[in-house]
């Protein structure tokens, strides 16, 4: 018998409460969060539900991709069509990949045709930290922030010049190398990094897939990133940043002996300035451009290539005004999306102008936040969103949070214009989310429990038969409603030399129109980690678990549940040198995240890191 989500959560809450003496905390109480309010804010004063993945955690993880790192976090699920170089989807609290926003240093990335970010093109070597904010953030970031926002921050320069380098190799002939230099001299700070990864991989598909081929499907990725900042005068600075990544991955979609492959490029550039105009008034300006280029080459002739390129150009003007202990934020934004494709009808553009205001208050033990935004698009018209949040500190360690927010997702260019499928009249999806939670953090022990309920309407789905004439194989249409409901639990604790942590998510992502479970989303998933560290040695174990999911909307193609155990260790054998080793999927568990697509079996990766300051 399947328990209702609320009863499951009650049982899990009791289990975590009993386990509290042996579960560990790693996030500082006053860590600074940027994404939740678009400005640096102490974690103890942030009402939104957040997680930060630090640079130390990324270095120790030894994982092969950003999605492997995200898969370890609560509230997140990942699907992949094969190995690290292939297409991936990240769900936040059951929200689809096109219902979430991904930012790199404030620059929105993603394809305007699919609505999703290209995770395979983001290099781990360039990342300083990752912030995850759960829940609707359309009042801050506009369209598509229904389930949450993931922001990746690349490395910045400060202090004396520092050089780091890494080289590693592992199973499937995987090899990786990267190097970075950063620092500051006088009024100039800088950070530059470059990396290269290559793997022979494994077969992306399994028997049963229409394009099954048992050969190895490897990938080749090269990347570079950089930031430069100049202090113009006290309180005034300007800078520029860039990110370049190109991934070529083999696929099982070719004809005959041709090596079918995909090419995914991600290119970001931005210029910015920050100004302290008055003691209580700061202003930020940023102009950015993000290019997502994708091509699938299924045979050796040009006719076999499908290419879609997205360019997003964005201008931001942000003002943060301190009013005593309160903060008023005023924002203006203009974004232009352009698609160029060799698919007839997809070469289009649309423009969106946005204005927003938020107000954050502190009154003793009370925290209050309000926000409103209007997005005016040349394609879907005007959309207004709003949010309100409340937090109450029972003590310096224990706090209650509650919030309500509206959000929307803009139709993708595929849903609007793809030949034989898109409908130019499709409307944005709408979301209404309410949540409440408790957080405990005394600097050694951290506990969290959040209940959320996100009601979606005008859900865009592939409908067969299409209610409009002329669509023989169905069309994209606003027909469904959905509910994303669940409880997300977390616990961490430092017990001597042991750091222990656990997460558990109990959710019910349901299509209300059909009563079916939303595809590729489990009702239960979680993580358990035990890490031991003394002196120069650290080592640990991770256990990732998930219940069964379905690969299709009709819930007829079942994907079984799974559990995977990973081991990792690091050794700081010199002041500037360290080594790491990671053994993933120790038991060689065979499982599917997508129907008839493989995941890596038991695999080992080892590396050597140098860091000079």
């Amino acid at each position: 018998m399947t328990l209702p989500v609320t009863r499951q959560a009650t049982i899990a809450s009791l289990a975590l409460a009993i386990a509290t003496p042996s579960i560990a905390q790693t996030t500082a109480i006053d860590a600074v969060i940027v994404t939740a309010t678009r400005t640096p804010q102490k974690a103890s004063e942030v009402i939104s539900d957040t997680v930060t993945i630090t640079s130390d955690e990324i270095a120790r993880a030894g994982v092969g991709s950003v999605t492997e790192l995200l898969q370890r976090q609560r509230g997140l699920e990942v699907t992949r069509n094969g190995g690290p170089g292939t297409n991936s989807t990240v769900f936040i609290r059951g929200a689809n990949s096109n219902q979430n926003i991904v930012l790199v240093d404030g620059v929105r990335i993603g394809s305007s045709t699919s609505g999703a970010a290209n995770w395979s093109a983001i290099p781990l070597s360039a990342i300083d930290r990752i912030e995850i904010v759960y829940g609707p953030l359309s009042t801050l970031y506009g369209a598509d922030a229904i389930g949450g926002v993931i922001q990746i921050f690349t490395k910045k320069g400060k202090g004396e010049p520092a050089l780091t380098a890494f080289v590693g190799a592992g199973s499937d002939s995987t090899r990786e190398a990267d190097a970075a230099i950063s620092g500051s001299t006088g009024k100039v700070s800088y950070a530059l990094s470059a990396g290269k990864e290559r793997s022979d991989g494994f077969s992306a598909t399994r028997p049963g897939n229409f394009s099954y081929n048992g050969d190895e499907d490897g990938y080749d990725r090269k990347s570079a990133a950089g930031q430069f900042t100049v202090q113009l005068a006290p309180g005034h600075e300007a800078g520029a940043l860039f990110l370049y990544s190109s991934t070529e991955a083999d696929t099982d979609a070719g004809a005959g002996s041709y090596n079918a492959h995909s090419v995914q490029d991600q290119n970001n550039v931005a210029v910015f300035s920050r100004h302290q105009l008055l003691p209580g008034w700061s202003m930020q300006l940023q102009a950015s451009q993000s290019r997502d280029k994708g091509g699938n080459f299924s045979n050796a002739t040009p006719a076999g290539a499908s290419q879609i390129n997205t360019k997003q150009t964005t201008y931001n003007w942000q003002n943060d005004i301190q009013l005593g202990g309160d903060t008023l934020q005023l924002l203006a934004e203009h974004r232009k999306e352009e698609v160029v494709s060799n698919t007839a009808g997809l070469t289009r553009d649309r423009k969106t102008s946005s204005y927003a205001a938020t107000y954050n208050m502190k009154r003793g033990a009370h925290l209050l936040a309000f926000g409103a935004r209007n997005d005016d698009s040349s394609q879907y018209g005007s959309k207004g969103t709003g949010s309100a949040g409340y937090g109450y500190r029972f003590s310096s360690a224990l706090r209650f949070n509650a919030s309500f927010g509206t959000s929307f997702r803009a139709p993708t260019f595929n849903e609007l214009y793809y030949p034989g499928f898109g409908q130019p009249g499709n409307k944005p999806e709408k979301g209404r989310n309410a949540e409440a939670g408790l957080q405990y953090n005394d600097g050694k022990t951290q506990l969290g429990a959040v209940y959320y309920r996100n009601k979606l309407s005008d859900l865009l789905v592939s409908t067969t038969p299409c209610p409009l004439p002329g669509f023989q194989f169905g069309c994209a249409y606003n027909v469904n409603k959905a509910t994303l409901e669940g409880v997300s639990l977390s616990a961490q604790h430092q017990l001597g030399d042991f750091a222990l942590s656990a997460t558990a998510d109990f959710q019910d992502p349901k299509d209300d129109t059909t009563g079916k479970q939303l595809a590729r989303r489990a009702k239960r998933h979680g993580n358990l980690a035990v890490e031991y560290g003394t002196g120069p040695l650290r080592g640990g174990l991770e256990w990732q678990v998930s219940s069964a999911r379905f690969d299709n909307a009709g819930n007829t193609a079942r994907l079984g549940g799974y559990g995977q155990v990973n081991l990792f260790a690091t050794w700081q054998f010199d002041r500037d040198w360290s080594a790491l080793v990671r053994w993933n999927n120790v038991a060689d568990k065979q499982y599917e995240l997508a129907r008839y697509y493989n995941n890596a079996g038991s695999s080992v990766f080892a590396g050597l890191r140098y860091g000079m300051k």
Side-chain angles (χ1 to χ4, degrees), residues 136-192:
L137 273 83
S138 283
T139 51
L140 288 173
Y141 297 102
D144 311 329
I146 288 179
V149 172
I150 298 175
Q151 179 155 207
I152 296 166
F153 293 89
T154 59
K155 296 172 181 177
K156 297 181 179 179
K158 61 180 179 180
E160 294 296 319
L163 172 68
T164 62
F166 177 81
V167 61
S171 302
D172 302 319
S173 297
T174 300
R175 51 270 197 209
E176 175 185 342
D178 63 70
I181 185 170
S182 62
S184 60
T185 56
K187 297 182 178 181
V188 178
S189 63
Y190 57 90
L192 287 168

Side-chain angles (χ1 to χ4, degrees), residues 106-124:
V107 180
R108 183 192 284 230
I109 66 171
S111 166
S112 292
T113 53
S114 70
N118 176 21
W119 291 103
S120 66
I122 301 175
L124 270 174

Side-chain angles (χ1 to χ4, degrees), residues 51 53 66-79 89-95 100 119 130-135 147-150 452 488 503-505 507 520-522 524-527 544-546 562:
V51 164
I53 308 173
V66 178
T67 52
E68 287 182 56
L69 193 65
L70 295 176
Q71 198 169 10
R72 305 164 62 192
Q73 312 306 316
R74 64 179 174 85
L76 301 187
E77 296 175 273
V78 173
T79 66
T89 298
V90 176
F91 302 102
I92 304 179
R93 287 184 177 177
N100 306 305
W119 291 103
I130 301 174
E131 291 182 1
I132 305 165
V133 183
Y134 302 89
V149 172
I150 298 175
Y452 59 90
S488 186
T503 69
D505 282 274
Q507 60 182 17
R520 297 186 177 179
R521 277 151 275 194
R524 300 176 301 279
H525 60 93
N527 296 274
Q544 300 173 355
V545 295
S546 175
Y562 68 92

Side-chain angles (χ1 to χ4, degrees), residues 184-208:
S184 60
T185 56
K187 297 182 178 181
V188 178
S189 63
Y190 57 90
L192 287 168
S193 65
K196 171 101 171 155
E197 305 169 45
R198 187 164 188 160
S199 178
D200 290 351
F202 51 87
S203 178
T205 54
R206 301 165 63 95

Side-chain angles (χ1 to χ4, degrees), residues 451-464:
Y451 167 78
Y452 59 90
R453 182 179 173 85
N454 202 347
K455 297 287 291 183
L456 308 182
S457 58
D458 289 329
L459 202 67
L460 281 159
V461 296
S462 179
T463 305
T464 304

